[in-house]
């Protein structure tokens, strides 16, 4: 009897571990603090019963797990889908996946943050409808849609906070309006939070205790992951690294302050700083030249890395992370950026706070935020489903027969 109860608890714990994302056998054993053989035995039973299955890692280069290379264990949930939309800082991406985050189809196009909310909604609807139609997906099988945006999202309202780089969107209820147009549940969060979520569940931060995800692009973003959970603060404003003021007499930022980090080290700001010597150099060309060691571009990127590194050094004193992952277009400059960041961190943080910090590019590359939108959609849809019985119990309404 005692053994049966123990096996039931282990089975429940394995199922709970697989709810967030597919995991390797070794990772499940580590999470549950059991031996690999004990975990493997419980997993084998679930696979035999048809509750779980083995799947290929959707991002195989992101993990260095022991055991079969590239193989994960996942809940066997078929015939249901997730859609993710990343309103990126330089590009728009949309994708559809199964519930184990294996991409079925993906679309992308150029994107300008000056776009109006109405035009952005039309763009999203067009791409979502194309993903559904060309893959012959039954709309009723789409669980939810996740959106990533380059700006802080208020926890209470789910809307963009004033001061966002998407200034014309402030006040527009993007999730509600898109949900009405698509007739699907829609959830939205800040892109850096989503990048941090994806790296924590599927990428280079699996197993990290305290991770900072730094997004360096047209803007600057920061996602904070504590034991795999995203820290958003009381009102969704945590992680506003972009608006740390480093020069009170510096350039005006779209948030209204002067000398914000974002106003000085965004890829656009760096390109403009090269105009005296390189005229109208595009950000992509600037980053290519910087990676090749061209003196001017390499210098402005290194200066940007040093400025970001000083801010991260202070964050190391506050949070004592074990890992810092860097994403966004600026990472295309390679070691020129990262070496400057590391050196500045060492100079500005106490040695014990940075001596064990691993700083490297994110494992998911420019797909981190996109995978984050899929995770967000799944998590929020599942949370709402689990909340229904509790709400019904309070109101005395039965949920028997309710749609999932």
């Amino acid at each position: 009897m005692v053994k049966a109860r123990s096996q039931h608890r282990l089975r429940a714990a394995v199922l709970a571990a697989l709810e967030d994302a597919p995991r390797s056998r070794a990772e499940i054993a580590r999470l549950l603090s059991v031996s690999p053989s004990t975990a493997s035995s419980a997993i084998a039973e679930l696979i035999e019963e048809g509750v779980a299955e083995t799947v290929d890692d959707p991002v195989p280069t992101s993990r260095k797990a022991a055991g079969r290379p590239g193989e994960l264990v996942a809940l066997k949930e078929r015939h249901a889908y997730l859609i993710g939309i990343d309103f990126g800082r330089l590009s728009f991406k949309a994708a559809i996946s199964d519930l184990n985050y294996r991409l079925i189809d993906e679309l992308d196009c150029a994107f300008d943050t000056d776009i109006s909310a109405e035009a952005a909604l039309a763009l999203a609807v067009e791409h979502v409808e194309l993903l559904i139609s060309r893959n012959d997906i039954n709309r009723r099988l789409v669980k939810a849609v996740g959106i990533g945006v380059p700006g802080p999202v208020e926890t209470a309202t789910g809307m963009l906070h004033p001061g966002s780089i998407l200034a014309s969107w402030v006040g527009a209820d993007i999730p509600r309006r898109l949900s009405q147009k698509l007739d699907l549940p829609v959830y939205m969060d800040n892109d850096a939070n989503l990048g941090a979520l994806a790296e924590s569940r599927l990428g280079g931060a699996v197993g990290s205790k305290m991770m900072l995800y730094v997004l360096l692009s047209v803007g600057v973003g920061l996602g904070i992951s504590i034991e795999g959970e995203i820290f958003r603060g009381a009102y969704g404003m945590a992680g506003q690294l972009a608006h740390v003021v480093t020069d009170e007499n510096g350039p005006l930022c779209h948030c209204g302050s002067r000398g914000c980090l974002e106003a000085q080290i965004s890829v656009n700001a760096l390109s403009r700083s090269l105009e005296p010597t390189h005229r109208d150099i595009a950000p992509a060309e600037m980053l290519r030249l910087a990676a090749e060691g061209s003196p001017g571009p390499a210098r402005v990127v290194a200066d940007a890395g040093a400025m970001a590194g000083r801010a991260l050094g202070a964050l190391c004193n506050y949070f004592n992370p074990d890992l810092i992952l860097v994403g966004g277009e600026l990472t295309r400059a390679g070691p020129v950026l990262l070496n400057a960041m590391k050196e500045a961190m060492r100079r500005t943080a106490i040695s014990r706070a940075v001596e064990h910090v691993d700083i490297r590019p994110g494992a998911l590359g420019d797909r981190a935020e996109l995978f984050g939108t899929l995770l967000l959609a799944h998590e929020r849809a599942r949370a709402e489903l689990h909340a229904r019985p509790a709400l019904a119990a309070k109101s005395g309404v039965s949920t028997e027969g309710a749609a999932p």
Side-chain angles (χ1 to χ4, degrees):
M1 181 68 73
V2 173
K3 184 178 181 181
R5 284 200 300 268
S6 175
Q7 288 175 333
H8 179 75
R9 284 196 297 270
L10 178 60
R11 174 192 176 93
V14 172
L15 290 171
L18 292 175
E19 272 202 349
D20 290 335
R23 299 182 188 275
S24 69
R25 290 170 174 79
E27 187 183 343
I28 293 170
R30 187 169 61 251
L31 283 170
L32 304 185
S33 300
V34 298
S35 69
S37 60
T38 298
S40 291
S41 176
I43 291 165
E45 288 184 9
L46 291 172
I47 292 173
E48 187 176 347
E49 293 170 18
V51 177
E53 64 180 336
T54 57
V55 299
D56 290 335
D57 191 337
V59 278
T61 58
S62 70
R63 295 168 182 252
K64 295 180 180 178
R68 301 174 183 87
E71 186 178 83
L72 304 177
V73 179
L75 293 180
K76 196 170 184 177
E77 299 178 284
R78 298 190 185 277
H79 309 305
Y81 306 93
L82 302 165
I83 291 176
I85 300 170
D86 175 28
F87 288 105
R89 299 172 188 238
L90 287 175
S91 64
F92 170 93
K93 297 185 181 72
I96 189 165
S97 79
D98 65 14
L99 297 187
N100 291 318
Y101 313 110
R102 290 173 290 192
L103 295 184
I104 295 166
D105 197 2
E106 183 178 358
L107 301 167
D108 65 84
C109 64
F111 181 71
D112 190 333
T113 53
D114 290 333
I115 191 174
S116 69
E118 206 59 48
L121 284 168
L123 182 69
V125 169
E126 176 190 350
H127 283 76
V128 169
E129 296 295 352
L130 180 56
L131 286 171
I132 290 173
S133 63
R134 81 177 189 180
N135 292 285
D136 197 23
I137 300 294
N138 185 331
R139 190 182 218 85
R140 289 178 297 177
L141 298 179
V142 177
K143 291 274 189 179
V145 178
I147 304 176
V149 290
V153 175
E154 292 183 329
T155 302
T157 65
M159 294 165 63
L160 275 166
H161 190 279
S164 166
I165 196 171
L166 297 168
S168 67
W169 295 28
V170 175
D173 192 340
I174 300 296
R176 183 183 63 81
R177 291 172 63 183
L178 187 58
S179 179
Q180 290 173 342
K181 290 176 180 292
L182 295 173
D183 193 25
L184 292 168
V186 177
Y187 309 96
M188 187 169 80
D189 200 359
N190 167 261
D191 57 359
N193 284 343
L194 296 175
L197 178 65
E199 290 287 357
S200 294
R201 302 287 173 81
L202 301 172
V206 173
S208 168
K209 294 181 180 296
M210 174 72 239
M211 186 271 289
L212 302 178
Y213 177 76
V214 186
L215 185 58
L216 302 175
S217 179
V218 170
V220 174
L222 175 70
I224 303 166
S225 171
I226 303 173
E227 300 283 358
E229 298 295 327
I230 303 306
F231 177 72
R232 294 179 173 84
Y235 305 104
M237 294 297 294
Q240 293 305 301
L241 182 66
H243 303 295
V244 171
V245 175
T246 60
D247 180 3
E248 292 186 357
N249 298 311
L252 187 67
C253 180
H254 57 80
C255 75
S257 294
R258 282 194 175 275
C260 290
L261 194 63
E262 183 167 281
Q264 298 178 82
I265 71 167
S266 72
V267 290
N268 289 345
L270 298 182
S271 294
R272 286 194 298 270
S273 72
L274 287 170
E275 285 180 358
T277 55
H278 291 73
R279 294 189 178 180
D280 297 324
I281 186 171
E285 178 66 5
M286 174 196 69
L287 294 171
R288 184 186 68 80
L289 292 173
E292 293 175 356
S294 180
R299 176 58 187 268
V300 298
V301 169
D303 288 347
M307 195 174 294
R310 287 191 289 272
L312 287 171
L315 290 177
C316 287
N317 287 343
Y318 302 149
F319 288 107
N320 189 207
D322 56 357
L323 177 64
I324 295 175
L325 295 181
V326 187
E329 283 77 16
L330 212 54
T331 58
R332 296 176 190 172
V336 172
L337 175 74
L338 289 178
N339 290 343
M341 291 176 71
K342 293 174 184 178
E343 179 58 30
M345 282 172 55
R346 282 194 292 267
R347 292 199 309 269
T348 54
I350 58 174
S351 59
R352 291 288 291 173
V354 295
E355 64 180 344
H356 299 300
V357 178
D358 185 9
I359 176 169
R360 62 177 187 265
L364 303 181
D366 61 5
R367 278 178 165 173
E369 290 72 40
L370 185 61
F371 274 111
T373 64
L374 298 168
L375 283 156
L376 174 76
H378 199 185
E379 287 190 359
R380 294 287 174 86
R382 191 169 59 232
E384 289 206 359
L385 178 62
H386 290 173
R388 286 181 196 172
L391 291 172
K394 285 184 180 180
S395 62
V397 177
S398 171
T399 59
E400 189 175 349

